[in-house]
Amino acid sequence: MTADPVHAELDRLSEEAAAQVIAWRRHLHRNPELSNREEGTARLVAEHLRQLGLDEVRTGIAGHGVVGVLRGTAAGGGRVAALRADTDALPVKDLCGTDFASRVVDADYPGGPFPVSHACGHDCHTAMLMGAATVLAGVRDRLPGTVLLVFQPAEEGPPVTETGGALAMVDAGAFADPVPTMAFGMHVTPYPKGYVGYRVGNQYGASVLVRITVTGRQVHGSTPWQGVDPMPAVGAVLTGIGQLYRQVSAFDPVTVTIGHVEDIGRFNIIGETVTLWGTVRCAVEGDMPAVRDRLRRLAEHSAAAYGATAEVEYLQPVPPVHNTGPWVAAALPTLRRVAGGERVTETGATLGYDDVSELVSRFGGLYVMLGVQDATLGENGLPVPEEGGRGLVTNHNPRFYADDDTLVTGVRLHAHVAYDHLAGTLLPAE
Ligand SMILES: [Zn+2]
Ligand SMILES: [Zn+2]
């Protein structure tokens, strides 16, 4: 097979865009915005897409979503590749240790004020897709199909009183015309720089947010017998969660985490309610209904044992990110060409989530991990920190970091995957 000359052109244009991608990334990192508040980010993206002269730049989709439509002018099969980046940041302090670390505080966000940072690396995702837009617009006359550049807000979950995210973009009709024939996304991750990890099956698990409101009866702290203290009931719920795992097959990973406790008591007041906010993750989606039922039963009955009541609500369900065998097989030659064969490796599943699953499961396509940290790959296939490096730091940690020089690999991944799909070489076997 002779090499397709467009591939070399994609690489050349990516190298040309690399410095600009790093500048965008640093700008976004300094100016992070929480879920459903991505105004400045959306403006930057839309301005860039307009400058490229795309056929359409749709803005304000499901909040601050932006979709650029790039119609290639080469004759071809009419396929449509949707490339997706998430744009929102997290309520996490920025301790990444660079001179472009964020000092932003969002004072008005529900539940805030919060320090805001790109501790999940969505600044990289946004900048890489902006770069890919430049690259693909540069070969428009050789694109035999359409590229949708999808900049999605609220991946981390909007405030619970709001809607947002990938499903909200679907519901808003963002993918109705043209309908994608594949969706592609990636996530920066604590994996060796420039490595691409893939997994057949669930890359990420199924997720749901849980809110448990335990209600007692408020009373003076000196006379607990005259009221109902919700706190011991909460303690029983937290302890009981540790037993839920044993009610699901030990071969199916499950986590139930309560990450935030909200109460209205005071040192001398037994408050009326305690609210627990958490997340349930299941590697196997089929386990989710049983885990939800058991957690509900645990909370309601634990509360009853102390004379209190519990209300359990499940919000913002996200299906698992599932890569099918045929799509992975179709994409492997592209991934290997971009990253180098030895840097494309199979990874394990994680219980993270990504609502890109709403697109990949609807339209087909795939999702990969892009390594951005100072590490090598150990013999067991797990990353090992590089000596003298910045270590391995997971997403959502205030010290999470991503290597700038790796971003060009992400730009090339987007560009090559889209082009190969439109050209008909990245298609799952029937
Ligand atoms: Zn995240
Ligand atoms: Zn993320």
Side-chain angles (χ1 to χ4, degrees), residues 344-363:
V344 177
T345 61
E346 247 180 299
T347 56
T350 83
L351 287 173
Y353 82 74
D354 191 321
D355 67 355
V356 74
S357 55
E358 297 284 3
L359 309 184
V360 173
S361 55
R362 253 180 198 78
F363 306 118

Side-chain angles (χ1 to χ4, degrees), residues 78 250 385 395:
N395 308 65

Side-chain angles (χ1 to χ4, degrees), residues 11-303:
D11 291 340
R12 193 186 66 76
L13 290 169
S14 298
E15 286 300 336
E16 220 173 81
Q20 174 72 75
V21 169
I22 291 173
W24 279 324
R25 186 266 162 137
R26 293 183 173 194
H27 171 83
L28 292 166
H29 196 92
R30 260 194 208 103
N31 299 281
E33 295 167 305
L34 290 171
S35 308
N36 267 5
R37 304 291 182 273
E38 308 87 344
E39 276 165 60
T41 306
R43 205 177 315 120
L44 179 80
V45 167
E47 266 167 28
H48 171 58
L49 298 182
R50 285 195 190 101
Q51 264 172 17
L52 289 175
L54 298 195
D55 298 276
E56 272 180 76
V57 179
R58 306 172 183 162
T59 59
I61 304 167
H64 302 292
V66 179
V67 175
V69 184
L70 171 63
R71 292 198 175 84
T73 54
R79 280 178 285 271
V80 180
L83 305 174
R84 179 276 208 169
D86 37 11
T87 59
D88 55 333
L90 282 167
V92 171
K93 202 169 172 171
D94 195 337
L95 301 177
C96 75
T98 63
D99 60 2
F100 53 91
S102 158
R103 294 200 186 85
V104 172
V105 173
D106 189 331
D108 305 321
Y109 205 70
F114 292 116
V116 186
S117 77
H118 270 296
C120 205
H122 300 181
D123 52 335
C124 302
H125 300 170
T126 304
M128 291 188 298
L129 189 55
M130 289 171 75
T134 306
V135 172
L136 290 163
V139 295
R140 170 189 291 211
D141 58 338
R142 280 155 286 175
L143 283 184
T146 300
V147 180
L148 296 181
L149 301 140
V150 181
F151 294 86
Q152 181 217 304
E155 190 280 328
E156 300 286 359
V160 293
T161 52
E162 302 173 21
T163 58
L167 184 58
M169 285 187 83
V170 172
D171 290 344
F175 308 100
D177 184 24
V179 177
T181 50
M182 88 166 287
F184 176 70
M186 68 180 98
H187 210 298
V188 293
T189 195
Y191 212 56
K193 279 177 285 199
Y195 275 65
V196 173
Y198 68 92
R199 183 168 197 273
V200 176
N202 286 0
Q203 175 73 63
Y204 280 178
S207 164
V208 72
L209 186 159
V210 61
R211 173 168 61 189
I212 305 173
T213 310
V214 181
T215 305
R217 202 167 65 247
Q218 187 160 327
V219 70
H220 196 287
S222 65
T223 56
W225 62 89
Q226 290 177 1
V228 176
D229 187 351
M231 208 63 89
V234 165
V237 175
L238 293 176
T239 309
I241 283 173
Q243 287 297 316
L244 291 176
Y245 305 108
R246 302 185 59 238
Q247 297 166 18
V248 180
S249 164
F251 301 97
D252 296 355
V254 169
T255 58
V256 180
T257 289
I258 301 298
H260 179 52
V261 179
E262 204 183 329
D263 80 275
I264 55 165
R266 190 172 180 272
F267 74 95
N268 58 359
I269 296 172
I270 290 171
E272 185 95 358
T273 63
V274 177
T275 307
L276 305 177
W277 297 85
T279 186
V280 180
R281 307 287 169 92
C282 294
V284 177
E285 194 177 20
D287 289 333
M288 188 57 100
V291 176
R292 286 169 58 149
D293 284 349
R294 289 173 196 278
L295 177 58
R296 180 190 305 280
R297 191 176 67 194
L298 169 75
E300 289 173 353
H301 290 259
S302 300

